[in-house]
Amino acid sequence: MTTILFENPIFLEHKVPEGHPERPDRLKALNQALEHERFQPLTRLKAPQGNEDFVLLAHPEEHLRMVMSVIPEEGIHSFEADTHASPASLQAALTGIGGAIAAVDAVFTGKADNAFVASRPPGHHAEKNKAMGFCFFNNAAIAARHAQRAHGAERIAIVDWDVHHGNGTQDIFWDDPSVLFCSTHQMPLYPGTGAKDETGAGNIVNAPLSADTGSDHFREAFTSRVLPALKDFRPDFIIISAGFDAHHRDPLAQINLVADDFDWATGRLLDIAGKTANNRVVSLLEGGYDLQGLAESAGTHIYRLMRG
């Protein structure tokens, strides 16, 4: 497999208050993990900054203008309970989008089989008209719309295994059968959505997990709900909202996964992509707030992308 990792130093310049879990150290920990010799074959490219028009693929202009209006000239501004902006935050968010767009282009033009975008802030909580849960813009939704418009993708699957439900992605694609959204997540937990009976236009598949469950329950939910939906849908492109906060060390939830679970799930998705999507997979970093757990899990995930 040919894998490209997109990264950019601007992601470290998105500042948050002291003690906030979504901090620059997350990417520093991942970068340390990527120093291992097994990642030497990995192609690492600088993510380009996306333009504002890409935001409009998934959000109305009013939302874009709202986010732009809260970016401070100095210091940190809080515009939602846990969502904060510093002077470089808009550039970081647009570069996260640019990385996602570049990753989509890479897999559709044959430059890579798959790609991982190591960006922050994350995106899956951003609804059409609302920034929340550390997220400004929905990178996965924007990537999906770009794949449709620029590359003619017809059946896109977004698989979200972040421990928090991807309410923003669900909101954006609620009545769009061209996009299948599948999510495993702890429930009850922030943001309070993600019940099994939330099905949209038949294109939403939620597999909630109870607190204090672990690998067996996660793999059973993936096997019984997510994988059958994907096989029936036959996606021609798969996007992963790759949060690693279901790891047992993570402080924000109570699901007890280990790094091998993310290797296993990645492998299952690569199998499907190989059968229906010409191997095309783009993975976008979402949550993961224990530095060791994030580094181990994301590193394992990226290495599985490289191995196929």
Side-chain angles (χ1 to χ4, degrees):
M1 287 287 176
T2 302
T3 301
I4 296 176
L5 183 141
F6 290 93
E7 56 193 345
N8 193 304
I10 192 61
F11 298 135
L12 299 175
E13 299 305 314
H14 167 54
K15 305 297 185 181
V16 293
E18 187 73 24
H20 194 282
E22 205 292 283
R23 58 204 190 279
D25 287 345
R26 299 176 64 231
L27 293 186
K28 294 177 183 178
L30 176 57
N31 281 331
Q32 288 180 348
L34 294 176
E35 292 176 0
H36 191 280
E37 61 182 10
R38 67 179 179 172
F39 295 107
Q40 287 183 357
L42 178 65
T43 299
R44 301 174 67 170
L45 300 179
K46 187 175 182 181
Q49 182 174 324
N51 60 50
E52 296 171 8
D53 289 341
F54 287 133
V55 177
L56 304 182
L57 292 174
H59 301 279
E61 187 170 357
E62 307 87 82
H63 176 76
L64 170 62
R65 300 305 166 198
M66 182 281 295
V67 172
M68 295 176 67
S69 72
V70 300
I71 303 298
E73 292 186 4
E74 59 183 21
I76 296 173
H77 174 72
S78 302
F79 63 96
E80 194 266 343
D82 292 313
T83 308
H84 311 278
S86 61
S89 293
L90 179 62
Q91 185 180 355
L94 290 175
T95 304
I97 292 171
I101 296 292
V104 172
D105 291 343
V107 301
F108 272 94
T109 59
K111 294 179 180 177
D113 294 298
N114 57 60
F116 182 83
V117 184
S119 63
R120 54 183 295 277
H124 73 146
H125 290 309
E127 298 181 347
K128 288 179 185 177
N129 295 290
K130 187 175 184 180
M132 58 183 286
F134 315 161
C135 304
F136 297 4
F137 307 121
N138 196 303
N139 300 330
I142 293 167
R145 290 296 187 219
H146 177 68
Q148 289 175 328
R149 299 192 183 192
H151 300 287
E154 296 180 350
R155 299 179 312 282
I156 298 174
I158 301 175
V159 178
D160 187 332
W161 63 50
D162 191 284
V163 82
H164 302 93
H165 181 244
N167 60 295
T169 312
Q170 176 171 291
D171 172 65
I172 291 168
F173 296 113
W174 180 256
D175 56 359
D176 183 351
S178 71
V179 176
L180 174 69
F181 175 66
C182 301
S183 176
T184 61
H185 49 274
Q186 182 177 326
M187 191 175 185
L189 191 68
Y190 181 91
T193 53
K196 285 185 178 180
D197 62 0
E198 297 171 17
T199 58
N203 62 317
I204 307 294
V205 178
N206 286 309
L209 305 171
S210 300
D212 298 316
T213 55
S215 301
D216 290 347
H217 288 84
F218 169 73
R219 295 190 187 203
E220 192 282 327
F222 216 81
T223 300
S224 65
R225 292 186 61 78
V226 175
L227 295 181
L230 288 168
K231 290 174 182 176
D232 288 345
F233 187 68
R234 296 185 59 80
D236 54 13
F237 177 43
I238 296 176
I239 298 170
I240 305 173
S241 274
F244 299 99
D245 39 8
H247 189 277
H248 69 93
R249 293 179 55 94
D250 203 90
L252 297 192
Q254 296 81 41
I255 299 297
N256 299 309
L257 301 190
V258 296
D260 187 60
D261 292 311
F262 298 106
D263 175 274
W264 175 86
T266 305
R268 302 293 78 72
L269 297 183
L270 290 175
D271 287 344
I272 293 173
K275 293 173 181 176
T276 70
N278 197 27
N279 295 315
R280 291 186 291 257
V281 173
V282 165
S283 182
L284 309 174
L285 180 63
E286 300 284 3
Y289 305 104
D290 177 82
L291 300 184
Q292 179 180 331
L294 171 64
E296 290 177 357
S297 301
T300 296
H301 169 61
I302 293 166
Y303 189 54
R304 186 53 183 262
L305 290 174
M306 294 168 60
R307 290 184 293 127

